Amino acid sequence: MSEPVAVRFAPGDRVRTRAVDPDRHTRLPAYARGRTGRVLAVTGSWPLADDVARRRAEPRVEPVYTVVFAARDLWGEGEHDVTLDLWQSYLERPESTGDGPGPYGRKKEAVS
């Protein structure tokens, strides 16, 4: 496995998930792509599931965050929160342009 990546976000930070539609496995649910939430916790560093599913010999090791989203922000309705455990490369700062590489080694694709 590769060396762990440094933690980029802290509990309380607002984050946005990358709006990507990869042609291979990802643990970033489609309903959460491009959505803004808040980091609740840093749960440790783990091999990136995308790399493990592709059977990479040395999967990247990244921090994993528990991120909370308002249900209405995900589905347009609901008064509850939804929590997801997400790898660091799935996340960016909300003010980011999203032009940097994500877990798929390519720039964010336009969403219509």
Side-chain angles (χ1 to χ4, degrees):
M1 279 187 266
S2 65
E3 291 296 315
V5 174
V7 172
R8 217 174 126 198
F9 306 106
D13 285 354
R14 286 178 35 86
V15 293
R16 181 176 57 217
T17 58
R18 293 185 177 271
V20 295
D21 188 16
D23 57 357
R24 56 190 169 268
H25 174 80
T26 182
R27 293 295 303 261
L28 175 56
Y31 63 82
R33 296 177 192 163
R35 306 298 183 175
T36 300
R38 183 177 41 84
V39 174
L40 285 181
V42 182
T43 63
S45 290
W46 305 98
L48 180 62
D50 306 49
D51 287 356
V52 172
R54 293 179 70 203
R55 293 188 165 93
R56 285 195 170 176
E58 293 199 25
R60 291 168 282 182
V61 176
E62 297 183 359
V64 175
Y65 303 87
T66 299
V67 180
V68 64
F69 301 87
R72 90 173 103 330
D73 292 342
L74 300 176
W75 298 296
E77 61 182 298
E79 299 302 317
H80 61 285
D81 290 331
V82 176
T83 58
L84 297 172
D85 290 331
L86 301 171
W87 274 263
Q88 182 164 283
S89 59
Y90 298 162
L91 303 172
E92 60 192 9
R93 299 207 180 276
E95 63 277 4
S96 169
T97 63
D99 290 335
Y104 316 105
R106 60 185 182 212
K107 291 186 176 191
K108 177 179 150 184
E109 298 171 11
V111 178
S112 37

